[in-house]
Amino acid sequence: MTLLPIFKYPEEVLRQDCEEVTDFDSSLNELLDNMAQTMYEAQGIGLAAPQIGVTKQITVIDVSADEPELIEFINPTIVSKEGSVSSEEGCLSIPEYRESVKRAENIVVEAYDRHGKSFRIDADGLLSICLQHEIDHLHGVLFIDHLSRLKREMFKRWYKKRGGFDEE
Ligand code: NI
């Protein structure tokens, strides 16, 4: 397995609308394995393909507290959402910055696994938040896009003061 470099804000690849996966082949398996390893190494709870420079609709998530519980989502779509909840989010592509974001509380997602088999998941709590964050990534949306205008300005000032992000 290979650790992949994580692209940081404001890289253009993070703003792409990703393509659907059509080939469930060995290169997809390899990509998924590398993404999981990269996510765990970076101590993240989710990683989307554009964050490693691949504009495909793929994300890996593990929000478990103790034993690893990896879930791979290929071509995920939110089919229903309900409720609303605010919680603090961060992103491996925007290191060290955290801010509260409002999301749906419960969502139902349909996706494919690495073998091309479809599945449906009812998500709440951290899994719901993380899934919404990662699915946003697949459409070029970052969590800072959900901030109020004031908080967005505060982010820009924070980023400018920080002098950008270092390359890994
Ligand atoms: Ni993120």
Side-chain angles (χ1 to χ4, degrees), residues 24-167:
F24 293 80
D25 54 13
S26 60
S27 68
L28 174 68
N29 291 348
E30 195 182 334
L31 179 64
L32 283 162
D33 292 342
N34 291 340
M35 282 177 65
Q37 199 197 15
T38 302
M39 175 186 76
Y40 287 125
E41 178 72 19
Q43 298 187 317
I45 57 171
L47 185 72
Q51 293 183 276
I52 45 104
V54 175
T55 53
K56 292 197 170 154
Q57 293 186 22
I58 303 169
T59 179
V60 294
I61 290 179
D62 188 343
V63 295
S64 65
D66 31 45
E67 289 297 296
E69 214 174 294
L70 181 72
I71 316 177
E72 300 170 333
F73 296 87
I74 297 150
N75 304 339
T77 328
I78 298 174
V79 293
S80 72
K81 45 171 86 179
E82 89 184 11
S84 145
V85 64
S86 284
S87 61
E88 203 172 78
E89 295 185 23
C91 180
L92 293 174
S93 294
I94 311 176
E96 293 169 41
Y97 185 77
R98 298 186 68 81
E99 190 51 82
S100 188
V101 174
K102 195 170 159 189
R103 304 263 186 199
E105 192 169 12
N106 304 299
I107 57 169
V108 177
V109 168
E110 283 178 357
Y112 293 87
D113 69 12
R114 64 164 67 200
H115 309 293
K117 189 169 179 289
S118 67
F119 66 97
R120 176 185 266 250
I121 200 163
D122 256 45
D124 60 9
L126 188 54
L127 179 60
S128 168
I129 310 272
C130 187
L131 255 172
Q132 290 173 77
H133 177 119
E134 301 309 331
I135 291 172
D136 268 357
H137 271 301
L138 305 181
H139 302 285
V141 176
L142 300 173
F143 82 98
I144 51 170
D145 300 340
H146 293 287
L147 301 179
S148 66
R149 188 184 286 191
L150 176 68
K151 281 186 176 171
R152 188 74 193 268
E153 285 308 313
M154 285 166 68
F155 165 74
K156 283 182 183 161
R157 278 206 294 276
W158 174 88
Y159 179 75
K160 206 172 167 187
K161 202 172 159 190
R162 202 186 177 287
F165 296 127
D166 296 334
E167 291 302 311

